[in-house]
Structure formats: C-alpha cells, structure tokens
Amino acid sequence: MKVLVTGGAGFIGSHTCVLLLEAGHQVTVIDNFCNSSRDVLDRVKQLAGRDLTVVEGDIRNPADLDRALEGVADAVVHFAALKAVGESCEQPLMYFDNNIGGTIALMQAMERHGVQRLVFSSSATVYGDAKQVPVAEDAPLQATNPYGQTKLVMEQLIRDWTASKAELSAVLLRYFNPVGAHPSGLIGEAPRGEPNNLMPYVAQVAKGQREFLRVFGDDYPTPDGTGVRDYLHVMDLARAHLKALEYSVEHQGCEVFNLGTGRGYSVLEMVTSFETASGKSIPYRILPRRAGDVAEMTANTAKANAVLGWETELGLSEMCADTWRWQQSIRY
C-alpha cells in the first residue's frame, strides 16, 4: 500500500515506519519536527534498507497536506499531535488547535484525494479515572485534562466522518503506556526537557542525567503501594498498526481497539527491572500523590487479540533493556 504517516518522525511513528517499509509498503511522512528530529527518518531508512518520502509541513496547512497526499491513494496512519498532559493544562487552546484542527484538516484533505482508510493514534487517557480494570473498549469515556479531551473529540470526529460514507474505514487504537526502543538502539524516545513519562525519566536517572526518581505516592491499594500501569513495548505497538491497516482493507466503518499487555507493573517493579537491565542503581524519593493519578490502569486486550490477531511478544525485561541500549546511544 501507499501510506501517509503523519508525525512519522516521532517516537511511535518512527518505529511504525520501519515496520511499514520492511513489510513492503511505500511510505510518505509529513512532520513539522516540533518535537522530533529529521535525523530520525535517516535512521528509519537505514534500519529498513528502503527509502521513504519526507514532506516537512504542518497538518493544519491544506497546501502541505496536498503535497504529502499527492500520489498516496491507499491509507493514512495519523500520529501527529501534541501529547503532554501538563502542557495541555497550561495551553489548552494550542492543543485544541493543533490536535483537533489538524485532524479536521487531514480528513478534508483525504476527501480531496480520495483516501478512504485511516488508522488513528488514540490513548487510554480517554477512559479518565476508570472504575473497573482491566479496562475494556466499552468502558465509559471521560477526559480529565485538555489533552484527553482532544483525543475524545478526535475520536468522535473520525466516527462521524466514517459514518458519512459507506466506503470509509477507520481504526482507533487506544494505547496504554508505550515504552522501549528499537532493539538496534538507533531510534527510541527522546523527550525534550523533563520527561513526562516514567520510563524515560528512569533511564535518565540510570545514565546520571538526573539525580533521583520522584515517586508520587506509596500508599495506593497496590502490592507495593505505588501506582500500577500497563506498559507496552513500542515494537509490539508498531506491529499493531500494521494489523490495523490490514483490517481496514477488508472492513468499513469505525472500530476501536485497546493496545496494552493486559498486565500491570508498579513504579517500583519498573525501577527494579531497569536496575537489572542497566546494572545501575536508581535512587528515588517518595513524594505525595499527584492530583488526578489513579492506583491502577491496565488494558483488556481481548478484542485486539481476537479481531486483529495481535498479541504482545515483549515483556518488561525487553522494554527496559531496549530503552537502556537506546539511552546510551542518544545522539539528538
């Protein structure tokens, strides 16, 4: 297939591009590189042994989208979005404009170019403070921050769009906690400034870039008192996008799938596993709970397992080992 990947230089987008190329697809990436580096795409090409087309542009700009979609007739994988929860609370209008406005512009451009299949990068944040875990796709949806609200609105926009024409197909993929890196160590997650997520923060402490890990709360109703999350290796997540593309070819309408391992790990389990992978001590300090954090959040992945034929292959040890390999080789 000829596939346009929005935000293809980002963490999850870049890993997905490697697998798309390896599977024989023709890939075009559009990215404005606001949170990524163009160098990443050179490494993607190196890993896949194949070329891709790069369009530097903003998905809110119709002219940029028209350039990117020219000759791309099969499908779009949509990653491009701002994703920092804290930043979204400080600058909600920027998030609404970029995430929601960009998605509207993208679907309008897809209509102009006759592209009928869309795979969308959503998030478990749409479940908010879920009342029952593991969380299934039919759980109530609620947003607890502007970032989550943009994902909810983007999902609804896509549902309404696919309902408007019988030939359209969309797959919404709700990620839980993507971590890890390509096993080569050539690409991975490289947050700018202070990491918003646990794994890259732990990796920076292990490397000596940060003095200690802040653990927010040790009095949750979990085995060791720290929060439990469902961590998912980025390579397993990338494989899910290929499965979703295959599914979209044979199905119309809109479907949603949770992506996770179905197993939760606590903050302290993560620390212990990373110490083993890195051979480094990871000091930490216990701080009070953060407002809005929940005790446990894990995915019910039965639907993705059964319908997409997708299951995770990599566990916490591989997530930590691949992250550490990448952390030691970061060049940007």
Side-chain angles (χ1 to χ4, degrees):
M1 282 193 283
K2 295 179 180 178
V3 183
L4 174 65
V5 181
T6 74
F11 174 42
I12 302 165
S14 60
H15 290 77
T16 301
C17 284
V18 171
L19 296 192
L20 286 169
L21 290 168
E22 289 179 344
H25 298 293
Q26 296 180 43
V27 175
T28 297
V29 168
I30 182 170
D31 204 306
N32 65 5
F33 303 108
C34 69
N35 284 314
S36 59
S37 168
R38 194 183 182 99
D39 294 344
V40 175
L41 297 177
D42 293 331
R43 298 193 188 104
V44 166
K45 291 186 284 187
Q46 177 184 341
L47 288 168
R50 293 185 59 221
D51 202 3
L52 53 73
T53 300
V54 181
V55 174
E56 184 167 358
D58 194 307
I59 64 167
R60 292 168 294 180
N61 186 333
D64 290 343
L65 285 169
D66 286 338
R67 284 192 297 126
L69 281 166
E70 185 177 0
V72 178
D74 297 315
V76 172
V77 183
H78 181 27
F79 294 104
L82 299 173
K83 64 174 187 175
V85 170
E87 183 182 58
S88 78
C89 295
E90 297 166 359
Q91 301 187 64
L93 296 181
M94 181 175 73
Y95 271 66
F96 298 150
D97 175 51
N98 187 85
N99 294 3
I100 297 171
T103 299
I104 293 171
L106 175 63
M107 290 188 292
Q108 290 172 332
M110 289 174 67
E111 287 196 342
R112 289 196 299 275
H113 291 264
V115 183
Q116 299 175 347
R117 286 183 283 277
L118 175 66
V119 175
F120 174 58
S121 167
S122 192
S123 167
T125 190
V126 300
Y127 296 119
D129 185 2
K131 304 304 179 187
Q132 182 176 345
V133 293
V135 183
E137 288 85 354
D138 59 358
L141 302 180
Q142 54 183 318
T144 58
N145 54 71
Y147 165 67
Q149 188 64 47
T150 67
K151 289 293 185 181
L152 277 176
V153 173
M154 293 155 83
E155 282 197 6
Q156 190 59 53
L157 287 169
I158 294 168
R159 289 181 189 278
D160 292 342
W161 177 65
T162 52
S164 70
K165 295 181 179 66
E167 66 271 18
L168 297 177
S169 176
V171 182
L172 313 179
L173 301 178
R174 292 175 181 159
Y175 313 159
F176 275 63
N177 295 80
V179 297
H182 193 277
S184 66
L186 282 177
I187 58 173
E189 186 174 12
R192 296 183 177 180
E194 184 174 332
N196 294 299
N197 300 317
L198 177 63
M199 179 74 90
Y201 203 107
V202 168
Q204 290 186 7
V205 173
K207 195 175 180 181
Q209 292 176 242
R210 298 189 182 276
E211 184 180 357
F212 60 88
L213 172 69
R214 295 171 297 172
V215 178
F216 296 98
D218 65 348
D219 57 351
Y220 287 105
T222 61
D224 62 22
T226 63
V228 170
R229 298 293 182 269
D230 189 334
Y231 297 99
L232 168 68
H233 198 295
V234 67
M235 296 305 296
D236 280 329
L237 181 54
R239 287 192 304 103
H241 289 78
L242 271 67
K243 292 286 190 180
L245 269 180
E246 294 168 4
Y247 177 84
S248 72
V249 172
E250 303 296 333
H251 296 83
Q252 283 72 48
C254 187
E255 283 290 344
V256 58
F257 298 96
N258 284 340
L259 299 179
T261 64
R263 190 226 194 273
Y265 296 96
S266 74
V267 174
L268 295 186
E269 283 181 290
M270 170 75 81
V271 167
T272 298
S273 183
F274 209 96
E275 287 180 330
T276 299
S278 65
K280 304 290 185 178
S281 175
I282 299 173
Y284 63 86
R285 296 179 186 174
I286 303 296
L287 301 176
R289 294 186 189 185
R290 288 183 300 193
D293 279 354
V294 298
E296 182 177 359
M297 189 68 163
T298 57
N300 180 330
T301 63
K303 184 178 178 182
N305 302 155
V307 178
L308 297 181
W310 170 85
E311 293 186 358
T312 57
E313 299 175 357
L314 303 168
L316 185 59
S317 60
E318 290 92 350
M319 299 178 207
C320 292
D322 290 340
T323 298
W324 180 237
R325 187 179 302 109
W326 158 246
Q327 185 68 37
Q328 295 177 93
S329 66
I330 289 178
R331 303 178 184 87
Y332 59 87

